[in-house]
């Protein structure tokens, strides 16, 4: 993606790159978003859900940023070093060509002092280019003051809760808040900037040319070694592998938790209020990710998620959301209080900026189906579940048998009141059906007669009350007439035959009302008020579900065209935000795990159908 820019154009409030104009780097603890102009606009340290240090994507004036780029007008292009999460931003100027290599070393836990390090290596590959750097951290989401001091040639930024040390191979000037540098590189020359979290046992450490080269090589080797385990050999290998690498970047290695997205409050509509914090583990998202990663052969990630659930997730006997919450902190914590950061203006003025997520207390019955389906797949393709784990599964299924008919907030986390959502009932059916399969295949103890009765009751209820004779379609909630793209999962989870006349009629109805050039809206907020003002874009996971539904219905060429169209909505390095606007702009938190795992599933099934 090319863009002509003046480095000074990013200075001041109200100056924002589009959400999609960013690449992602990370170290399996946290990530940074790097703009196509070389500026780091988002970085939380030391973990995904820590307060931001660079938050210019949410407030260009107060959020803080790490600018690095040419001091002359330049056209830029950004790409990933092949088969890695090392990001390259190239600068094309009249005087020459240069590039920034951005990466975060992935270090082990074997007795090594944990160092969060962000390395930026600048190289001139042709001619001569003047560069500029400005390191302007704003701790605590831009609300916590800091001081700057020099230490052994390094610049240390100190706040009450966090300290960062900047090392550079060029002279750096600093005032009481920021550090700056200006330098010129001739062909073949390079300079290095490194930003380390310091404190406790982690002391400031220089990052010289040779160390940067060694770290680069080690980081490239790590990602290529990980990706080499992929079994995917299909038609869309590059996009599938980019999605897999992205899902891995969104994994918190110490616990195996997978964040829904590494950002907060990126708007679903510019100027709207649909801004949420996604830096947590959603049971639903993580369970679907297990399916996608198992398909590709990454059993270690599936095992890590299962361990997270068994070791860190506290089950409540009778909590407001049942024995499971819909989401957890990356360390397994259950308290995720939501509050507004009123001092930040939001991306392009889209307030409020929220931290925490009040939806953690919602009842969403579908998570039990997503979870038990992932356990079923892990038991089948990974390792057989243990006896203790099976006892827990039985407890969850028994709870679902007793509570499946409760109204809930549904998969889309609406704040307009509880309903008898079809998707919630559908996934309760999945929970029971998959558990029955496991019990029968392995001869495990289970109350099969009770489970079968509940499963069949759910089936008949959905067929009777989830079908609208007037709309000739399965609908959003029982006895209603509103369409919802979530019902695209009905054939995908094998609840209904993909060629059943009722399902084909539903697919036609969804195509007519919710599909726009292969892009799929979740539902119509006017027809089904969700308790929030404003509109939203098309929901990218639904677009990939639509591809799968078309393929399974035998409309393979339509599915292939829809899939290829969806690929054109990815950003320049193959990343997707949650939604896509009417003009094709990416909206919502970025990148979104849900979308990338759906891409993997759609590609896999489309490949299989094409032969």
């Amino acid at each position: 993606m090319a863009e002509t820019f003046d480095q000074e154009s990013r200075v001041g409030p109200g100056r924002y790159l589009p959400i999609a104009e960013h690449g992602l780097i990370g170290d399996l603890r946290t990530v940074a978003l790097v703009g196509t102009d070389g500026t780091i606009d988002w970085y939380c340290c030391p973990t995904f859900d820590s307060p931001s240090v660079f938050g210019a994507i949410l407030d260009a004036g107060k959020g803080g940023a790490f600018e690095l780029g040419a001091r002359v007008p330049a056209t830029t292009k950004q790409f990933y070093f092949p088969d890695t999460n090392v990001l390259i931003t190239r600068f094309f100027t009249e005087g020459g060509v240069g590039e920034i290599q951005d990466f975060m070393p992935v270090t082990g836990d074997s007795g090594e002092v944990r160092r969060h390090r962000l390395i930026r290596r600048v190289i001139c590959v042709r001619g001569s280019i003047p560069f500029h750097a400005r390191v302007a951290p704003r701790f605590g989401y831009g609300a916590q003051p800091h001081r700057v001091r020099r230490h052994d040639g390094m610049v240390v930024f100190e706040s009450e809760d966090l300290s960062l040390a900047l090392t550079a191979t060029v002279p750096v000037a600093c005032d009481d808040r920021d550090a700056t540098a200006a330098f010129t590189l001739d062909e073949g020359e390079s300079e290095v900037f490194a930003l380390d979290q310091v404190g406790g046992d982690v002391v400031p450490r220089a990052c010289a040319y040779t160390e940067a080269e060694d770290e680069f090589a080690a980081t490239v080797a790590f990602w290529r070694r990980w990706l080499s385990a992929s079994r995917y050999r299909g038609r869309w290998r590059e996009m599938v592998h980019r999605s897999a690498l992205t899902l891995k970047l969104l994994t918190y290695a110490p616990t195996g938790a997978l964040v829904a997205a590494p950002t907060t409050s990126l708007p679903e509509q510019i100027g709207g209020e649909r801004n949420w914090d996604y830096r947590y583990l959603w049971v639903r998202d993580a369970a679907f990710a297990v399916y996608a990663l198992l398909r590709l052969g990454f059993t270690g990630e599936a095992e890590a998620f299962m361990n997270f659930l068994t070791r860190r997730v506290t089950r409540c006997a009778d909590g407001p959301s049942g024995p499971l919450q819909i989401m957890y902190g990356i360390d397994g914590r259950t308290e995720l209080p939501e509050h507004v950061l009123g001092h930040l203006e939001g991306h392009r003025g889209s307030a409020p900026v929220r931290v925490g997520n009040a939806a953690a207390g919602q009842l969403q019955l579908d998570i039990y189906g997503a979870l038990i389906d992932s356990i079923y797949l892990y038991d089948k393709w990974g390792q057989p579940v243990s006896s203790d784990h099976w006892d827990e599964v039985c407890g969850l299924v028994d709870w679902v048998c007793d509570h499946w008919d409760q109204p809930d907030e549904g998969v889309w986390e609406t704040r307009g009141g509880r309903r008898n959502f079809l998707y919630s009932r559908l996934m309760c059916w999945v929970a029971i059906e998959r558990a029955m399969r496991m019990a029968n295949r392995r001869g495990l103890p289970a109350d099969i007669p009770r489970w079968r009765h509940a499963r069949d009751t759910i089936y008949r209820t959905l067929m009777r009350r989830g079908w609208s004779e007037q709309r000739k379609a399965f609908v959003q909630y029982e006895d209603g007439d509103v369409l919802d793209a979530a019902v695209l999962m009905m054939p995908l989870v094998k609840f209904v035959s993909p060629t059943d006349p009722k399902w084909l009629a539903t697919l036609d109805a969804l195509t007519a009302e919710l599909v726009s050039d292969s892009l799929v809206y979740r539902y119509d907020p006017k027809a089904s008020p969700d308790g929030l003002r404003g509109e939203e874009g098309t929901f990218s996971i639904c677009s990939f579900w639509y591809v799968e539904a078309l393929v399974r219905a035998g409309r393979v060429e339509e599915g292939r065209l829809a899939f290829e169209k969806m690929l054109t909505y990815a950003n320049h390095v193959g990343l997707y935000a949650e939604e896509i606007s009417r003009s094709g702009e990416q909206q919502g938190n970025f990148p979104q795990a849900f979308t990338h795992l759906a891409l993997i599933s759609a590609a896999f099934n489309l490949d299989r159908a094409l032969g």
Side-chain angles (χ1 to χ4, degrees):
M1 185 71 66
E3 181 186 2
T4 300
F5 72 99
D6 178 342
Q7 186 71 26
E8 296 303 313
S9 68
R10 294 292 301 282
V11 177
R15 309 278 188 180
Y16 296 90
L17 278 182
I19 291 169
E21 290 292 307
H22 293 87
L24 187 75
I25 60 172
D27 64 355
L28 306 184
R29 268 79 173 172
T30 188
V31 299
L33 291 183
V34 185
T36 50
D37 61 358
T39 297
I40 295 179
D41 287 321
W42 182 252
Y43 175 55
C44 297
C45 185
T47 61
F48 290 105
D49 55 358
S50 298
S52 64
V53 174
F54 302 131
I57 201 167
L58 293 179
D59 194 310
K62 300 176 184 174
F66 189 155
E67 299 173 14
L68 185 57
R71 274 186 289 143
V72 293
T75 298
T76 68
K77 294 183 180 180
Q78 200 174 60
F79 69 100
Y80 279 108
F81 200 75
D83 295 335
T84 76
N85 282 315
V86 174
L87 189 68
I88 312 293
T89 306
R90 309 201 88 199
F91 296 82
F92 299 83
T93 74
E94 286 193 6
V97 179
E99 66 182 40
I100 303 171
Q101 300 172 347
D102 281 311
F103 60 97
M104 296 169 68
V106 183
T107 57
D109 296 313
S110 55
E112 180 182 346
V113 174
R114 180 64 200 157
R115 179 180 297 272
H116 294 278
R117 167 165 275 195
L118 197 163
I119 296 177
R120 315 199 71 187
R121 187 163 66 162
V122 194
I123 302 172
C124 181
V125 296
R126 298 183 67 188
S128 177
I129 302 180
F131 284 94
H132 150 91
R134 175 173 170 264
V135 186
R138 299 293 181 263
F139 296 87
Y141 302 109
Q144 196 173 76
H146 71 274
R147 68 187 185 96
V148 179
R149 66 179 176 87
R150 289 192 176 273
H151 174 80
D152 288 344
M154 293 170 264
V155 177
V156 181
F157 304 94
E158 294 178 322
S159 72
E160 182 180 347
D161 300 321
L162 179 68
S163 293
L164 299 175
L166 172 71
T167 63
T169 55
V170 297
V172 174
C174 57
D175 54 24
D176 59 348
R177 298 183 82 192
D178 306 336
T180 58
F183 55 98
T184 298
L185 294 181
D186 294 325
E187 188 168 323
E189 293 181 338
S190 67
E191 302 292 356
V192 177
F193 294 83
L195 194 65
D196 287 12
Q197 178 201 6
V198 294
D201 294 331
V202 183
V203 297
R205 188 176 80 198
C207 185
Y209 303 101
T210 52
E211 182 173 354
E213 177 63 36
D214 291 344
E215 296 271 33
F216 177 88
T219 304
V220 166
F222 171 86
W223 290 114
R224 288 182 170 173
R225 185 169 57 250
W226 180 82
L227 190 61
S228 68
S230 170
R231 294 198 299 255
Y232 183 79
R233 299 294 183 269
R235 293 165 175 80
W236 297 280
R237 189 173 177 184
E238 185 174 347
M239 289 300 296
V240 167
H241 281 175
R242 177 50 50 199
S243 291
L245 283 163
T246 302
L247 289 176
K248 181 64 173 175
L249 267 184
L250 302 185
T251 302
Y252 183 62
T255 64
L258 178 94
V259 296
T263 52
T264 180
S265 301
L266 295 183
E268 296 176 18
Q269 178 189 25
I270 299 299
E273 66 171 344
R274 298 168 183 264
N275 315 322
W276 314 108
D277 191 351
Y278 278 8
R279 298 171 299 158
Y280 308 110
L281 175 134
W282 264 253
V283 170
R284 173 194 312 115
D285 297 35
F288 280 132
V290 167
Y291 165 80
L293 291 169
L294 280 172
R295 276 291 192 200
L296 300 181
F298 296 109
T299 55
E301 284 64 33
E303 181 180 6
F305 172 58
M306 293 302 168
N307 288 338
F308 175 86
L309 288 173
T310 55
R311 295 176 185 175
R312 295 181 180 271
V313 170
T314 304
R315 289 170 172 77
C316 307
D318 193 22
S321 58
L324 292 177
Q325 283 193 181
I326 68 165
M327 72 180 84
Y328 296 86
I330 55 176
D331 56 356
R333 70 186 186 282
T334 56
E335 297 298 320
L336 307 172
E338 182 179 304
H339 61 280
V340 171
L341 302 179
H343 64 284
L344 297 179
E345 71 171 14
H347 180 75
R348 292 170 61 185
S350 302
V353 172
R354 293 183 172 96
V355 171
N357 201 308
Q362 288 188 352
L363 174 64
Q364 295 179 20
L365 293 167
D366 66 279
I367 66 173
Y368 295 94
L371 174 62
I372 294 176
D373 191 33
S374 72
I375 295 171
Y376 161 76
L377 294 170
Y378 181 66
D379 181 78
K380 182 178 179 181
W381 293 339
Q383 294 183 3
V385 298
S386 67
S387 55
D388 287 344
H389 201 178
W390 175 247
D391 289 341
E392 293 176 353
V393 170
C394 290
L396 293 177
V397 176
D398 288 340
W399 186 89
V400 170
C401 289
D402 291 335
H403 296 87
W404 68 265
D405 57 351
Q406 293 185 44
D408 69 348
E409 278 85 5
V411 62
W412 305 132
E413 296 172 8
T414 60
R415 302 195 179 191
R418 293 183 175 182
R419 291 184 183 272
N420 296 319
F421 288 107
L422 182 146
Y423 183 80
S424 300
R425 306 282 193 268
L426 170 70
M427 296 307 287
C428 285
W429 177 91
V430 169
I432 302 169
E433 198 275 340
R434 299 301 191 267
M436 290 175 64
R437 284 197 199 189
M438 291 173 65
N440 289 329
R441 189 178 74 247
R442 291 186 50 200
L444 296 169
D447 192 349
I448 295 294
R450 181 190 182 207
W451 290 5
R452 181 182 295 113
H453 175 74
R455 181 198 65 180
D456 294 350
T457 302
I458 296 172
Y459 178 90
R460 299 192 186 284
T461 299
L462 291 190
M463 285 298 185
R464 185 178 71 254
R465 299 182 61 188
W467 169 261
S468 168
E469 193 61 37
Q470 177 187 354
R471 299 301 303 271
K472 299 295 182 187
F474 290 105
V475 289
Q476 185 180 63
Y477 51 86
E478 291 180 5
D479 303 322
D481 60 2
V482 177
L483 297 184
D484 190 320
V487 304
L488 287 165
M489 284 295 288
M490 294 179 77
L492 274 56
V493 297
K494 298 180 171 58
F495 177 86
V496 66
S497 164
T499 56
D500 186 292
K502 282 188 173 181
W503 171 249
L504 293 177
T506 301
L507 190 56
D508 288 339
L510 292 171
T511 300
E513 186 165 314
L514 295 181
V515 179
S516 172
D517 187 44
S518 84
L519 302 177
V520 182
Y521 291 95
R522 292 190 290 184
Y523 53 87
D524 181 357
K526 295 186 179 68
S528 179
D530 54 15
L532 298 164
R533 296 187 302 273
E535 300 177 350
E536 61 179 21
T538 56
F539 215 68
S540 293
I541 186 174
C542 296
S543 301
F544 286 118
W545 286 350
Y546 181 61
V547 169
E548 278 203 61
L550 289 172
V551 170
R552 290 171 188 257
R555 294 157 62 174
V556 178
E557 286 305 316
E558 285 182 66
R560 182 173 188 173
L561 180 59
F563 185 77
E564 293 285 3
K565 285 183 176 180
M566 269 304 295
L567 297 186
T568 70
Y569 289 103
N571 84 339
H572 57 288
V573 287
L575 303 181
Y576 288 89
E578 183 176 29
E579 301 181 8
I580 297 170
S581 73
R582 192 176 300 275
S583 64
E585 186 176 359
Q586 300 215 27
Q587 300 177 148
N589 283 308
F590 172 87
Q592 192 203 30
F594 223 174
T595 301
H596 285 278
L597 62 92
L599 183 155
I600 292 171
S601 181
F604 185 91
N605 286 287
L606 183 55
D607 257 325
R608 186 167 56 183
L610 289 169

